[in-house]
Amino acid sequence: NAGVTQTPKFQVLKTGQSMTLQCAQDMNHNSMYWYRQDPGMGLRLIYYSASEGTTDKGEVPNGYNVSRLNKREFSLRLESAAPSQTSVYFCASSEARTEETQYFGPGTRLLVL
Amino acid sequence: QKEVEQNSGPLSVPEGAIASLNCTYSDRGSQSFFWYRQYSGKSPELIMSIYSNGDKEDGRFTAQLNKASQYVSLLIRDSQPSDSATYLCAVRPWANNLFFGTGTRLTVIP
């Protein structure tokens, strides 16, 4: 089992460009999450999907959109990238939203110039 | 006020010593508490969870919870250089999402 996979691993964008970060899990988990991690700020939840077909805003949703494509895949889209979105993005999954263990993907490092 | 507060460190301990990591949280209704370990350039991985007041031991790791003081700690006994990492405290208020602290960077000196 690959667990949680993310693509790409690293991306450089110019301000105003758009991109989609992909995430997939093969653990048959119901819940999936997108976090960003910034120095001195810790991990902050952007969006989550408690189950297939549902998505909800987290702590810092502005500037992002998400799609729960199916049970396995949860994508994060930046429509018009800004330098403030330079960060490391982690996707995670868990069996249920209240499940204690969230499994994290390897992360995507995004630099917006 | 942040939901979860941690001392960012760095915390340096000699090999074989006890490392003590601390975390405070603001929501008195919080029910679940977690410690994640994150190696440099890697993703977080869960090492301990605790739900009740008191101590919970797992190998060299002991998590301690004091809900009255809104305080969680992690003790690492017989610290090894491989324990050098950033330790993230995470708290889940009732039926809510996880809130993470900024992490404490631990360095174990051989």
Side-chain angles (χ1 to χ4, degrees):
Chain A
N1 288 352
V4 180
T5 57
Q6 292 183 235
T7 55
K9 291 185 179 179
F10 183 70
Q11 183 73 46
V12 179
L13 291 179
K14 294 181 179 179
T15 297
Q17 288 185 318
S18 62
M19 78 162 295
T20 300
L21 282 65
Q22 306 286 354
C23 173
Q25 52 90 9
D26 62 2
M27 296 175 281
N28 201 36
H29 285 169
N30 290 301
S31 300
M32 298 184 73
Y33 314 83
W34 276 107
Y35 292 91
R36 60 177 290 174
Q37 187 173 37
D38 304 291
M41 299 295 291
L43 280 161
R44 292 180 293 169
L45 184 65
I46 305 171
Y47 270 93
Y48 67 95
S49 171
S51 61
E52 186 178 356
T54 68
T55 61
D56 283 287
K57 295 178 181 179
E59 191 180 352
V60 288
N62 291 346
Y64 305 95
N65 285 302
V66 291
S67 296
R68 183 75 183 265
L69 305 171
N70 47 55
K71 192 171 185 179
R72 290 186 64 249
E73 298 172 289
F74 188 38
S75 63
L76 178 72
R77 183 160 177 84
L78 287 71
E79 291 290 351
S80 179
S84 61
Q85 294 178 305
T86 293
S87 187
V88 180
Y89 291 85
F90 288 102
C91 178
S93 71
S94 64
E95 194 168 318
R97 187 171 160 221
T98 55
E99 170 64 31
E100 65 174 57
T101 305
Q102 290 189 12
Y103 296 87
F104 284 81
T108 294
R109 294 183 179 274
L110 176 66
L111 175 62
V112 183
L113 301 175
Chain B
Q1 182 185 8
K2 289 184 180 178
E3 294 277 349
V4 182
E5 300 261 13
Q6 291 182 259
N7 187 327
S8 62
L11 173 66
S12 295
V13 300
E15 184 174 354
I18 296 175
S20 178
L21 305 162
N22 304 313
C23 170
T24 58
Y25 59 95
S26 61
D27 190 327
R28 283 197 169 272
S30 298
Q31 299 291 316
S32 311
F33 308 87
F34 309 91
W35 284 99
Y36 282 79
R37 178 176 60 200
Q38 186 175 24
Y39 292 112
S40 181
K42 302 296 184 182
S43 56
E45 57 177 334
L46 181 71
I47 54 171
M48 290 285 288
S49 58
I50 187 166
Y51 304 97
S52 305
N53 279 331
D55 295 359
K56 179 181 178 182
E57 188 174 316
D58 184 0
R60 296 186 295 111
F61 298 96
T62 298
Q64 299 175 317
L65 174 61
N66 184 327
K67 289 186 178 180
S69 300
Q70 296 174 242
Y71 179 91
V72 193
S73 65
L74 179 69
L75 300 178
I76 306 174
R77 291 183 300 281
D78 187 24
S79 295
Q80 301 296 308
S82 59
D83 295 325
S84 297
T86 296
Y87 290 80
L88 306 174
C89 174
V91 175
R92 176 180 281 126
W94 179 255
N96 208 328
N97 297 304
L98 282 180
F99 288 91
F100 286 84
T102 55
T104 299
R105 185 156 57 93
L106 172 67
T107 300
V108 180
I109 304 166

